[in-house]
Amino acid sequence: TTMFREQPMPRSYNWNAGFQHEIPGGVVVHAAYVGNRGLGLVGGGDLNNMTYAQIAQYGSSLEDNVPNPYANVVDERTSFFFGKTTVPRWATLVDFPQFATGNPNGGVNIRGLNIENSIYHALQLKVEKRLAQGFSFVASYTKGKILGTGNGPYGYIGDNGGQQNWKDRSLERAIDQQDVSQWLTIATTYELPVGKGKSLDPKNPIVKAFVANWQSNVIFATGTGLPILVGGGNWANRSRYFGQRPDLVCDPSKNMAKTAERWISPECFA
């Protein structure tokens, strides 16, 4: 495991545009577009990952045994090449065979590799009635989308689907695992009309101490959930040379009872 000394600095660009207008009743309506672009975000990868071009070129012959090109060179007993006359073809194709581990996806793990990117677009709406006659109200709604190539080191924030091959980021662009496409929040405050200067002003100080100057608050929030990421498992044509993901072959939510144990159909991923 190592790190590169020189890398692009992570960068984030933000922009927005909006307007607000007051309508009768002291209600203010807000509408805004918000965007964000992240570049050089933290990721990771292994220098011994083969490229898709190499995998496609050699296909099933990657597992063929070929003469060990390092048989007379390697004297380190812990080396994958030590004492072997033949090795799998893939072991001769990795960039740093001296660090080969016996796994075609391992050997030189790079931490803090600034290769990820993301983009976010959102429409934000808000209706607000400021406090008047003891009542205030605010409702906000966001409709947005986050696209990105991954955020592996921060997978604890949401589920982490991993990457297929860090050497080709174009195939990683997808809905981000932290994407919440819709969110609605409603909050109200109501001051009870009991107390000094209000509709009801008890004269008895004991009664006033218990029933005056109260207010009620209600907050409601709801939104769509995080994307369900499907990975792992085994299937007949699964490759071990990159982080392959299953194909979607049918509608996984169709005719499902949607229980906690079985929300989607696993048979739709092959």
Side-chain angles (χ1 to χ4, degrees):
T1 300
T2 186
M3 298 183 69
F4 287 150
R5 287 182 177 272
E6 296 183 5
Q7 294 193 71
M9 287 294 294
R11 308 180 301 284
S12 179
Y13 302 93
N14 301 279
W15 58 91
N16 62 80
F19 69 90
Q20 64 179 29
H21 179 69
E22 184 171 356
I23 61 178
V27 177
V28 179
V29 178
H30 308 256
Y33 159 74
V34 176
N36 173 274
R37 176 67 165 156
L39 297 172
L41 305 180
V42 178
D46 197 291
L47 297 184
N48 273 352
N49 285 145
M50 288 182 289
T51 65
Y52 289 129
Q54 289 175 308
I55 297 171
Q57 178 181 352
Y58 293 98
S60 59
S61 70
L62 286 168
E63 290 296 331
D64 292 350
N65 286 325
V66 298
N68 182 357
Y70 308 104
N72 299 322
V73 179
V74 175
D75 58 5
E76 174 57 54
R77 292 182 176 273
T78 60
S79 171
F80 175 71
F81 294 95
F82 180 79
K84 298 178 180 178
T85 56
T86 62
V87 293
R89 187 187 305 276
W90 63 260
T92 67
L93 300 174
V94 297
D95 291 340
F96 296 91
Q98 66 270 38
F99 297 115
T101 63
N103 182 338
N105 289 315
V108 188
N109 185 28
I110 304 298
R111 300 296 295 173
L113 189 60
N114 298 343
I115 58 174
E116 309 291 3
N117 66 80
S118 67
I119 189 164
Y120 173 70
H121 300 286
L123 170 66
Q124 297 180 346
L125 302 174
K126 184 169 73 171
V127 178
E128 179 180 13
K129 178 177 175 56
R130 296 183 176 87
L131 186 65
Q133 297 179 339
F135 177 77
S136 67
F137 169 89
V138 60
S140 62
Y141 170 77
T142 299
K143 170 67 174 176
K145 177 186 288 187
I146 307 176
L147 295 173
T149 58
N151 62 353
Y154 305 106
Y156 58 85
I157 300 176
D159 201 359
N160 180 17
Q163 58 188 1
Q164 297 182 105
N165 192 319
W166 73 274
K167 292 183 177 180
D168 190 339
R169 310 307 300 149
S170 64
L171 297 180
E172 301 298 323
R173 185 178 174 86
I175 297 294
D176 192 86
Q177 53 261 44
Q178 299 179 54
D179 179 72
V180 177
S181 60
Q182 298 186 72
W183 191 261
L184 172 67
T185 302
I186 300 174
T188 64
T189 298
Y190 178 65
E191 293 184 348
L192 299 180
V194 181
K196 185 177 179 179
K198 299 180 180 179
S199 300
L200 301 175
D201 185 5
K203 302 303 181 183
N204 187 304
I206 298 178
V207 174
K208 179 180 289 189
F210 279 96
V211 302
N213 302 316
W214 285 88
Q215 70 176 25
S216 63
N217 300 278
V218 177
I219 300 175
F220 171 80
T222 185
T224 54
L226 296 170
I228 297 176
L229 304 183
V230 178
N234 294 291
W235 53 92
N237 63 342
R238 183 171 186 177
S239 172
R240 76 187 192 101
Y241 305 111
F242 64 99
Q244 190 177 15
R245 297 174 185 146
D247 292 329
L248 183 64
V249 297
C250 61
D251 184 352
S253 63
K254 187 175 182 180
N255 300 322
M256 290 298 297
K258 296 188 181 302
T259 64
E261 294 76 20
R262 195 178 175 91
W263 192 264
I264 59 177
S265 173
E267 288 78 14
C268 287
F269 303 91

